[in-house]
Amino acid sequence: MEYVYTFDGDFCDKHELGNKGANLVIMTGLGLPVPPGFVVTISAYKMYRDTGRLPEDAILRAMADLEQKMGRKLGEGLEVSIRSSAPVSMPGMMDTVLNIGNMEEVKASIRKIFASWDNPRAVEYRRLNNINPTLGTAAVIQAMVYGNLDERSGTGVVFSRNPSTGQKGLYGEFLMQAQGEDIVSGTRTPEPVSKLKQLLPAAYAEMQQIADKLESHFCDMQDMEFTIESGKLYMLQTRNGKRTGAAAIKIAIDMVNEGLITREEAVLRVTVNDIRQILHKQIQEPYKYQPLVKGLNAAPGAAKGKVVFDPVEAVALAKTDPSIILVRVETSPDDIQGIAVAAGVLTQKGGLTSHAAVVTRGMGKPCVCGAEGINIDTAAKQFTAGGITIKEGDEITIDGTSGLVYQGALPLSDAGFPPELEELMNIADGFKRLGIRANADTPEMIARAIRFGAEGIGLCRTERMFNAPERLAAIREFILAESPEKKTAAIDRLGELQVADFAALFKELKGLPIIIRLLDLPLHEFLPAENEVTDPVVKQRIAELKETNPMLGHRGVRLALTTPEIYAMQIKAIQEALKMVPANVSIMVPQVITDQEVLNVKRLLQGINVKFGVMMETVRACMRAGHLARAVDFFSFGTNDLTQAVYSFSREDAEKKFLPTYLKLGVLHDNPFEVLDVKGVGRLMETAIFWARRARKDIEIGVCGEQAGEPSTVAYLHGIGVNYVSCSPFRIPLARLVAAQVAIQDRLHRAAYDPSVSPINS
Ligand code: PEP
Ligand code: MG
């Protein structure tokens, strides 16, 4: 095995030479002006790590070769620089040594570079970025050129495109009469690289040509380091440039149009985080600020505004000033109007699937929850965090992408849906197999979902429609009515209101399909608390309906068997609304365990022409999937409830009490309510899908739990052959991207084994 390679050879494996070393070989091969040098490999690093020995003979030979190329001897007119070169970029984490003038120093510096692989900041960087600590680094030895030699010398960093916006053209900065360290140390302020055009036009023009050449070689935006010595340009390094989400998308689309990359490559190159970044507001330069506290990153995006502790007050205040951050110990369904008007929500307690988290994600509002480091004193209308007191009306900024909370109103960047994202999404849609629908239950959410590219509404919950005061009164009357006549009158009134609800939803659909889920709430949820009423009859009815374990109790399809009037009313309301606004409607029922329940509900469907399906959210339903498949048109896996059932966990209790410990100890890798548990819940789903399709080949299968919009879950669900996922509107673009990426990867994988399959679709 060779331990040393010169730049002018053809060996450019980055696993041996590291990124920097491999790219110097490539640049040299392309005929670019690279000061000569050589690389001491990662294998040499490993030998040094294990035995303390360097490949000294090979280093001496390479140095003699370098001296010959330069026509100067080390220490006698020739100096070298030594830099680290790891196979993954770890910018600025390891050491660099410049101006080395004798062989002992060269060897000592190589040892220093190798040792710097394990310096504390490099170790921490690898930990934060999930980089394998055993990879190791090479050392790059290169003849020095001097940016500080005279007034026609300088040094700088240049990108082939703007890394913030993606705009094509040289972008970067430089300093005349300086070495690289002068730029990094910040003692002098560099100039924009465009200025070099006037100062040294020939060097600038050459740099533009080099940037073009490197882009067409690497087919990606380049981040290059250069030095100009007495007017002559030298390239010291190139690598694929880091970029913002907006730039990543623009560059991918532009490079397709320039013929540099395929449409598949464009889709594979953009990451979920890139899209997340531009769909939501962000704090500009967040590293400049010291956070007050860190909570859970419950709903992405940043928001700033005045702190309000009371949701009712929030509603009143928002009429004049909508920049409000609602701060609560935890939120409950009663807070919904306060949440709706706030710019963001901060809670002291509650996990990533707590009420606040789920509701804000659906609304696309930033939320930090479970910020245990704050202490709310509701009576005094203030909270404290790290010794600082924030009073009602004080401004704070929350970042739901990172979970950080800051004092004061910080500058935010705008969110948007730029035309390049639209274009990328259209390209992605051409590759994906998986359908992407939205969970939405208001006209506004439907409109937003369609704007983000939803192909329909996969889950329209109807519980919310019972919440407004007049509906709550009607359902209470229905539950408490003593005579059949009063019962009928109450349910009829509710039905009329529901017709308007459904018609309003249908108007927004623009021909896309919607799946309406019939009510899934225990009836006692509609009644006041027992201690709030005095009427003994009402008190008794409340006591009758009270359940020890409502989550496993009298809800969902079970209601249809004991109280068929409610589902009958909802079905009739849908039918009436369809007469007013024609739409492509399907109906599904929750909490099913057997086809006998399905047959009972089907009786209520007489005279309405809709597709009918069940939610698969009990273990028994999964085990009876073959039977159920014969009774319905479609399945929709409710992975929230199914996860609870498979784990025997109550979600709220688990997240409040013990799940954080499980995650901290590594007993569970992920929160199963966020990331689908492939090994348990996923296996059950695969079994159910197998039996369902055996019974009915064309059964349509969707997934509508919270996990269905999580990127790794989307990839898994593609793999097990579900027809569509349904997620909150803001996750639609992410799901579209991932669905396309996994479809492309599938094809590449098949093409690798089967020569008749083309890896390219377009
Ligand atoms: C589910 O259980 O996954 C589901 C979508 O229903 P809900 O969250 O309304 O119980
Ligand atoms: Mg459910």
Side-chain angles (χ1 to χ4, degrees):
M1 173 182 318
E2 305 278 346
Y3 286 118
V4 175
Y5 290 90
T6 56
F7 294 174
D8 55 357
D10 50 15
F11 182 80
C12 60
D13 180 355
K14 75 172 190 175
H15 300 289
E16 268 299 322
L17 306 186
N19 267 339
K20 195 179 295 162
N23 287 351
L24 283 164
V25 172
I26 291 170
M27 284 204 287
T28 307
L30 289 171
L32 304 186
V34 176
F38 57 91
V39 185
V40 182
T41 63
I42 292 173
S43 291
Y45 159 81
K46 288 183 178 160
M47 180 173 77
Y48 176 73
R49 182 192 61 193
D50 298 340
T51 67
R53 277 192 301 114
L54 288 178
E56 296 200 10
D57 291 349
I59 294 171
L60 282 175
R61 277 198 303 277
M63 187 58 83
D65 174 70
L66 181 62
E67 287 173 334
Q68 203 195 352
K69 281 185 184 123
M70 297 299 291
R72 282 175 265 154
K73 288 221 161 295
L74 188 67
E76 298 166 24
L78 172 65
E79 288 182 315
V80 293
S81 63
I82 307 195
R83 293 182 167 89
S84 61
S85 174
V88 282
S89 156
M90 291 170 48
M93 293 300 128
M94 287 178 277
D95 289 354
T96 292
V97 189
L98 301 180
N99 302 355
I100 303 167
N102 70 55
M103 203 55 211
E104 282 317 305
E105 260 187 72
V106 168
K107 284 187 269 181
S109 304
I110 295 172
R111 289 193 186 95
K112 185 165 186 271
I113 299 305
F114 282 170
S116 72
W117 173 258
D118 282 319
N119 75 29
R121 63 168 188 264
V123 170
E124 181 62 8
Y125 184 87
R126 285 197 295 272
R127 197 184 64 75
L128 288 173
N129 292 282
N130 263 332
I131 298 171
N132 179 350
T134 66
L135 283 178
T137 182
V140 169
I141 290 91
Q142 188 169 30
M144 287 285 299
V145 283
Y146 302 92
N148 52 2
L149 196 66
D150 54 32
E151 73 285 354
R152 296 184 65 240
S153 302
T155 192
V157 176
V158 65
F159 291 81
S160 54
R161 304 180 192 227
N162 184 318
S164 299
T165 64
Q167 193 65 39
K168 195 171 178 178
L170 294 184
Y171 176 91
E173 46 191 28
F174 75 104
L175 270 176
M176 291 307 280
Q177 303 204 50
Q179 293 279 66
E181 278 59 63
D182 301 317
I183 294 194
V184 179
S185 69
T187 46
R188 288 167 57 194
T189 310
E191 310 249 29
V193 88
S194 52
K195 226 172 155 192
L196 199 60
K197 204 172 181 173
Q198 293 116 49
L199 285 175
L200 296 167
Y204 185 87
E206 190 182 359
M207 193 141 68
Q208 181 65 66
Q209 278 173 3
I210 289 171
D212 291 345
K213 204 163 186 175
L214 286 173
E215 272 207 351
S216 27
H217 180 85
F218 290 106
C219 297
D220 205 348
M221 182 261 265
Q222 295 300 294
D223 162 357
M224 300 157 282
E225 282 179 24
F226 66 91
T227 285
I228 299 171
E229 188 184 82
S230 298
K232 162 118 186 72
L233 175 68
Y234 291 97
M235 302 307 293
L236 301 188
Q237 180 178 332
T238 192
R239 60 184 168 202
N240 293 342
K242 299 229 184 302
R243 63 207 78 180
T244 62
I249 293 164
K250 178 164 171 51
I251 290 171
I253 291 297
D254 286 352
M255 286 194 167
V256 170
N257 295 332
E258 291 162 28
L260 274 178
I261 59 174
T262 62
R263 289 145 47 92
E264 284 88 343
E265 280 166 327
V267 171
L268 291 177
R269 234 172 233 195
V270 173
T271 67
V272 162
N273 273 341
D274 292 332
I275 295 186
R276 245 186 223 137
Q277 259 187 36
I278 57 171
L279 287 180
H280 302 284
K281 285 191 178 178
Q282 306 255 314
I283 298 175
Q284 291 177 19
E285 305 181 282
Y287 48 83
K288 283 189 178 167
Y289 309 99
Q290 182 67 30
L292 267 181
V293 68
K294 184 169 176 12
L296 301 171
N297 50 344
K304 59 181 174 182
K306 296 194 184 75
V307 167
V308 178
F309 294 94
D310 183 289
V312 178
E313 251 168 63
V315 173
L317 283 171
K319 293 196 173 111
T320 50
D321 181 1
S323 37
I324 284 171
I325 306 292
L326 182 65
V327 181
R328 304 282 285 159
V329 175
E330 56 192 332
T331 69
S332 75
D334 292 339
D335 298 351
I336 190 78
Q337 274 151 337
I339 296 175
V341 297
V345 176
L346 167 64
T347 73
Q348 184 179 339
K349 294 188 180 158
L352 287 163
T353 43
S354 61
H355 177 265
V358 172
V359 169
T360 48
R361 267 204 295 277
M363 291 179 176
K365 245 178 231 294
C367 173
V368 173
C369 67
E372 304 275 354
I374 66 171
N375 207 332
I376 301 179
D377 182 342
T378 318
K381 295 192 171 180
Q382 64 181 42
F383 75 82
T384 52
I388 294 176
T389 302
I390 306 282
K391 293 197 163 52
E392 184 162 86
D394 288 352
E395 286 184 311
I396 61 168
T397 303
I398 63 167
D399 183 347
T401 312
S402 65
L404 294 170
V405 179
Y406 301 83
Q407 188 174 14
L410 306 186
L412 305 184
S413 66
D414 280 342
F417 206 92
E420 287 85 6
L421 179 57
E422 195 88 56
E423 210 174 327
L424 181 84
M425 287 288 112
N426 289 337
I427 294 177
D429 288 348
F431 295 122
K432 72 180 179 55
R433 177 194 62 72
L434 196 63
I436 311 290
R437 301 188 188 179
N439 296 352
D441 52 22
T442 64
E444 300 76 44
M445 280 173 91
I446 292 180
R448 186 183 302 143
I450 294 175
R451 167 89 196 86
F452 284 166
E455 293 153 21
I457 304 304
L459 169 64
C460 172
R461 294 180 170 100
T462 53
E463 291 73 35
R464 187 197 57 84
M465 299 174 189
F466 291 74
N467 270 348
E470 46 185 340
R471 290 131 209 261
L472 202 55
I475 186 86
R476 278 183 183 171
E477 256 178 67
F478 168 78
I479 297 168
L480 299 171
E482 299 121 41
S483 69
E485 293 75 25
K486 280 190 174 163
K487 242 183 161 52
T488 309
I491 202 83
D492 284 352
R493 217 166 69 235
L494 207 50
E496 279 166 29
L497 296 167
Q498 287 247 284
V499 174
D501 286 335
F502 289 125
L505 297 178
F506 298 168
K507 273 193 196 131
E508 289 296 334
L509 282 169
K510 306 194 167 64
L512 294 176
I514 185 169
I515 299 178
I516 297 170
R517 181 184 74 186
L518 301 181
L519 188 70
D520 182 17
L521 207 61
L523 289 184
H524 64 82
E525 293 265 342
F526 296 117
L527 295 179
E530 216 177 328
N531 58 6
E532 281 175 23
V533 285
T534 46
D535 184 329
V537 181
V538 179
K539 249 183 163 21
Q540 189 187 333
R541 188 78 180 109
I542 293 172
E544 279 166 18
L545 288 170
K546 194 169 168 185
E547 292 178 281
T548 313
N549 219 329
M551 196 262 295
L552 302 174
H554 194 170
R555 61 186 278 213
V557 69
R558 295 155 214 166
L559 271 179
L561 275 87
T562 59
T563 322
E565 296 93 330
I566 296 179
Y567 277 17
M569 174 276 289
Q570 288 193 294
I571 292 166
K572 194 164 151 229
I574 293 169
Q575 197 171 12
E576 291 302 313
L578 279 172
K579 287 184 196 153
M580 293 156 64
V581 189
N584 178 354
V585 173
S586 302
I587 290 178
M588 69 178 171
V589 284
Q591 307 295 339
V592 163
I593 56 163
T594 167
D595 54 355
Q596 292 305 313
E597 289 166 328
V598 173
L599 295 179
N600 267 282
V601 180
K602 269 189 161 176
R603 286 195 198 109
L604 305 173
L605 286 169
Q606 304 297 335
I608 178 168
N609 183 21
V610 292
K611 279 202 215 151
F612 179 65
V614 286
M615 288 195 72
M616 300 292 282
E617 48 186 354
T618 67
V619 176
R620 193 174 194 284
C622 293
M623 291 290 106
R624 301 297 289 158
H627 269 265
L628 283 169
R630 286 191 201 97
V632 297
D633 302 306
F634 65 91
F635 282 177
S636 180
F637 281 94
T639 46
N640 301 331
D641 275 308
L642 192 58
T643 303
Q644 300 200 92
V646 169
Y647 277 73
S648 297
F649 281 3
S650 134
R651 178 163 96 189
E652 287 281 296
D653 290 335
E655 291 195 331
K656 272 192 208 149
K657 303 260 163 40
F658 55 85
L659 206 48
T661 309
Y662 268 56
L663 295 171
K664 200 157 83 196
L665 294 177
V667 174
L668 287 176
H669 192 268
D670 293 302
N671 176 344
F673 298 107
E674 270 176 60
V675 179
L676 188 86
D677 162 39
V678 167
K679 292 178 188 162
V681 181
R683 260 206 152 165
L684 184 63
M685 290 168 69
E686 287 179 44
T687 308
I689 293 171
F690 173 82
W691 289 106
R693 291 241 163 91
R694 235 171 93 129
R696 190 173 162 179
K697 230 160 90 193
D698 65 343
I699 187 161
E700 193 183 55
I701 295 176
V703 181
C704 65
E706 275 283 307
Q707 302 93 332
E710 188 280 324
S712 72
T713 305
V714 174
Y716 169 74
L717 295 174
H718 159 95
I720 65 169
V722 310
N723 297 93
Y724 66 86
V725 293
S726 189
C727 55
S728 73
F730 273 90
R731 283 173 139 189
I732 298 272
L734 312 183
R736 287 164 79 190
L737 177 78
V738 175
Q741 289 178 332
V742 285
I744 294 168
Q745 275 152 357
D746 265 5
R747 198 184 173 100
L748 289 173
H749 193 69
R750 276 185 294 129
Y753 291 96
D754 181 351
S756 69
V757 177
S758 158
I760 302 286
N761 224 347
S762 45

